[in-house]
Amino acid sequence: MIPIVLASVLIACALGCGTPPIEPVTTRVVNGVDAKPHSWPWQISLQYERDGEWRHTCGGSLIAANWVMTAAHCINNKLSYRVYVGKHNLVEEEPTSKAILPETIIVHEKWNPIFVAFGNDIALIKLSEPVTLTDHVQLACIPPAGTLLPNLYPCFITGWGRLYTGGPIADKLQQALMPVADHATCSQPDWWGIAVRTSMVCAGGDGIVAGCNGDSGGPLSCKNSNGVWEVHGIASFVSGLGCNYEKKPTVFTRVSAFNDWIDLVRRQSHVLLFYSK
């Protein structure tokens, strides 16, 4: 994750989204641990090509059979990307996984790459072909527009980001419990202050568990009252003082602030595709 120094609900709430066939192990997590393989089946690895090799750069969430949601700061228009679905171990060949090239990538029009804290750190990737949903590849649910989680609501971050500040990225998908820090808490002067906006959601801040470089774009997944997992956040930034600096929780784009934008992008893409045929 890059340090700060640096249409409705139905979009992704198709039948079966947010209900992984392989239930995550969500107890007794203190720090990042290996996730149970394929227990977060909407998690993707966004990879870029350099010197003939594909390298992991960010996470993301599969929100439809041919759409992925990630962070705007993960996208560089000078690079070529692919999306890997069904991955658990980045360094092993896995029959459950598949790499798919993007058809198009849409970055939020108000995203400012110079000032991450201005918000709008969201992008959508339309895949060149739809994925086949299996026990290892499932859709994420998006929460209802405007949803705000209460302070200390239990959520989980997942990703292949650095295991510690300046350290190596993970081979196996990691997960960690990161309770929400509500806006009133996260915007306190000794926390993030005015740097955190209402279109963001904070999680963590205990100085132990946090996102880090490579987790960007990935989901903050939270189980709702019906037992369905929803992606409430897109990993956006951490403190330049360190990934797990106390009272500087990981900051996520709040997905429920962008339902309309997600709807609009998908509708416009469909119209453009229709008229191009």
Side-chain angles (χ1 to χ4, degrees), residues 1-269:
M1 174 181 312
I2 296 180
I4 190 169
V5 295
L6 331 154
S8 63
V9 182
L10 295 178
I11 288 178
C13 289
L15 182 63
C17 75
T19 53
I22 302 169
E23 186 66 17
V25 177
T26 56
T27 57
R28 299 168 63 183
V29 175
V30 177
N31 208 333
V33 297
D34 290 356
K36 188 176 180 179
H38 311 297
S39 58
W40 306 99
W42 46 87
Q43 171 86 46
I44 66 94
S45 168
L46 181 64
Q47 303 181 354
Y48 69 96
E49 185 179 18
R50 175 174 292 176
D51 300 328
E53 295 184 359
W54 290 99
R55 308 182 185 195
H56 171 83
T57 183
C58 282
S61 303
L62 185 70
I63 63 170
N66 61 338
W67 285 95
V68 163
M69 178 174 67
T70 188
H73 79 256
C74 292
I75 305 302
N76 182 332
N77 59 18
K78 296 180 180 179
L79 297 177
S80 296
Y81 293 96
R82 72 178 182 182
V83 168
Y84 233 124
V85 300
K87 286 299 289 181
H88 175 68
N89 191 323
L90 292 179
V91 299
E92 291 184 357
E93 293 290 332
E94 296 172 316
T96 58
S97 65
K98 183 176 181 178
I100 304 173
L101 296 176
E103 178 181 295
T104 186
I105 301 177
I106 302 96
V107 172
H108 196 285
E109 63 277 5
K110 292 185 179 179
W111 161 247
N112 188 325
I114 299 176
F115 298 103
V116 181
F118 278 5
N120 303 302
D121 191 7
I122 181 172
L124 292 181
I125 301 173
K126 186 174 185 181
L127 303 178
S128 57
E129 61 180 278
V131 302
T132 300
L133 301 182
T134 67
D135 284 353
H136 302 130
V137 180
Q138 290 283 322
L139 304 184
C141 280
I142 288 179
T147 301
L148 297 175
L149 296 174
N151 196 47
L152 300 181
Y153 194 93
C155 297
F156 281 79
I157 186 173
T158 51
W160 291 275
R162 295 188 186 279
L163 298 172
Y164 50 87
T165 303
I169 67 168
D171 292 338
K172 297 178 181 179
L173 184 67
Q174 301 290 295
Q175 69 173 54
L177 175 65
M178 295 226 311
V180 167
D182 65 9
H183 187 73
T185 301
C186 198
S187 61
Q188 291 181 71
D190 58 336
W191 285 59
W192 275 110
I194 61 173
V196 63
R197 297 170 179 257
T198 57
S199 61
M200 303 172 182
V201 59
C202 303
D206 61 0
I208 300 171
V209 175
C212 205
N213 307 73
D215 291 322
S216 288
L220 181 70
S221 299
C222 317
K223 185 178 283 190
N224 67 20
S225 58
N226 295 319
V228 174
W229 290 95
E230 298 172 331
V231 174
H232 280 261
I234 303 167
S236 182
F237 63 86
V238 294
S239 173
L241 299 173
C243 292
N244 55 342
Y245 200 79
E246 189 175 7
K247 293 188 177 181
K248 291 294 184 287
T250 305
V251 180
F252 299 78
T253 300
R254 179 168 63 83
V255 175
S256 64
F258 292 90
N259 294 57
D260 288 346
W261 182 81
I262 295 169
D263 277 352
L264 179 62
V265 167
R266 293 189 61 198
R267 286 200 307 269
Q268 289 180 338
S269 174

